Amino acid sequence: MAPEHRSFAPHPTRRTLLTAGAATAGAVLVGSAGTPATAAGKTRPTVINLPNGFRPEGITIGGGPYAYLGSLGDGSILRADLRTGEGSVISAGPGTPSVGLKLDHRGRLFVAGRGQGARVVDARSGRILASYVLTTATPTFANDVFLTSRTAWFTDSYQPALYALPLGRRGELPDADEVVTLALSGAWSQVPGEVVNANGITGTPDGSALLVVQSGVGGLHRVNPRTGVTELVDLGDAAPLTNGDGLLLTGRTLYVVQNRQNAIDVFRLAADGRSGVFRRRITDPLFDVPTTVAAYQGRLYLPNARFTTTPTPETTYDVISVPHDLRAGVISMSA
């Protein structure tokens, strides 16, 4: 059955849930708040309220005005309409976390499942199309995803490796035993134990390599996708990317979310990704440990994971949107 959608007027408070029912009990509704975000007479909310207790981490946006978010709680996938803020859970979670996720042009969500590997979900029906054990090594933490035309790449925050799901010519999903492990070497120095190492992942502007942020030490690595050899990206005098989380590349502009700093650092990269120049820092008083970022029609969308707040079934969560006009310098914004 298709999920039910309803509309609500903006609520005066920032994180008030506008919902009916629980995340696993059918349609869960999200509400909007904030100011107009377009100049053509239409409004887009700058704050999208999520269901209480949802615990968002990953976000992805396709060609249409819909964001998909995964829950660190039960792993449910929620779809929100960016024009109105309304939405619903499209796939009830398996009871284990959903971390990073990406949507491909075939309407499939590739979801990192922390210690449970990865799964692929149909964004229309919510049906699980495939599940994968990425590694038998322990501990393991499948954290983020990056898609190319022929590969789905996953980071592991606890192991010095990336995992690849090779896709067929027409996007066919691989069998469960076709997962490829790419060991990281070169400049990569793994911090042992359950410490967040590899986190956000994307590609270089010219598509020749991968970029992976190593959260605990704040380094950005360029990774050879054939050999796993890494080299540190020269970012000049920029501060270390400590707590670096989600990465977003648009053209040669790289956005790096630094979750506990409540900030996004913006860089202009060389085409091959070997160097970059710091452009500005984006902050916002509404940020509350944002983890990842996606873009749609001139705005960046970030889920507030609120890692410094003890999660309860009543804890409020939201998505914050900010403009990404690169003509500005270092800025702090709230609309």
Side-chain angles (χ1 to χ4, degrees):
M1 178 182 295
E4 175 192 3
H5 295 266
R6 291 169 54 194
S7 297
F8 293 87
H11 196 282
T13 60
R14 176 171 174 256
R15 286 193 173 96
T16 300
L17 173 68
L18 299 175
T19 184
T24 56
V28 174
L29 311 177
V30 294
S32 63
T35 57
T38 65
K42 298 180 180 179
T43 60
R44 258 193 289 155
T46 56
V47 178
I48 298 174
N49 297 303
L50 302 176
N52 282 5
F54 185 76
R55 297 179 62 193
E57 206 280 350
I59 186 170
T60 184
I61 300 172
Y66 299 98
Y68 297 84
L69 299 108
S71 168
L72 286 175
D74 66 0
S76 292
I77 306 296
L78 182 145
R79 178 173 59 212
D81 189 324
L82 301 177
R83 300 164 300 184
T84 64
E86 65 184 63
S88 62
V89 167
I90 62 161
S91 182
T96 54
S98 291
V99 197
L101 70 167
K102 291 293 184 296
L103 178 71
D104 73 2
H105 69 277
R106 293 179 172 88
R108 301 178 302 188
L109 290 161
F110 290 74
V111 185
R114 193 162 177 151
Q116 286 69 42
R119 69 188 190 278
V120 183
V121 176
D122 188 305
R124 300 174 184 86
S125 67
R127 181 170 63 93
I128 296 176
L129 303 175
S131 296
Y132 297 93
V133 174
L134 297 177
T135 182
T136 57
T138 57
T140 181
F141 182 166
N143 195 329
D144 205 359
V145 196
F146 172 63
L147 300 179
T148 72
S149 61
R150 296 297 297 273
T151 310
W153 291 97
F154 292 82
T155 57
D156 189 333
S157 292
Y158 292 166
Q159 296 292 327
L162 303 179
Y163 310 113
L165 300 182
L167 306 177
R169 287 185 178 276
R170 298 177 179 84
E172 296 91 348
L173 297 174
D175 293 333
D177 61 355
E178 294 182 296
V179 177
V180 176
T181 299
L182 184 72
L184 298 176
S185 60
W188 192 270
S189 180
Q190 183 80 4
V191 180
E194 295 189 5
V195 176
V196 177
N197 284 272
N199 199 331
I201 181 171
T202 188
T204 58
D206 65 4
S208 63
L210 301 168
L211 296 172
V212 175
V213 65
Q214 189 176 10
S215 291
V217 300
L220 182 66
H221 289 258
R222 183 184 187 274
V223 183
N224 185 312
R226 294 177 297 280
T227 66
V229 174
T230 81
E231 55 187 293
L232 280 169
V233 178
D234 181 1
L235 298 177
D237 296 330
L241 300 174
T242 309
N243 298 317
D245 205 324
L247 302 180
L248 173 67
L249 183 74
T250 60
R252 288 173 56 182
T253 299
L254 179 69
Y255 299 89
V256 184
V257 180
Q258 291 171 274
N259 53 42
R260 294 183 188 252
Q261 281 89 326
N262 290 311
I264 311 165
D265 279 357
V266 185
F267 297 88
R268 175 73 172 176
L269 295 182
D272 62 7
R274 286 189 164 91
S275 63
V277 177
F278 176 76
R279 291 303 192 198
R280 64 168 181 158
R281 167 166 282 199
I282 301 172
T283 62
D284 190 291
L286 297 182
F287 286 169
D288 193 349
V289 195
T291 45
T292 47
V293 58
Y296 182 73
Q297 290 191 351
R299 296 188 73 84
L300 302 173
Y301 290 83
L302 300 95
N304 275 327
R306 308 193 71 194
F307 288 152
T308 57
T309 299
T310 301
T312 73
E314 300 307 316
T315 303
T316 56
Y317 295 95
D318 51 28
V319 175
I320 305 301
S321 82
V322 295
H324 60 78
D325 183 355
L326 289 177
R327 293 173 296 180
V330 180
I331 56 174
S332 175
M333 61 187 73
S334 60

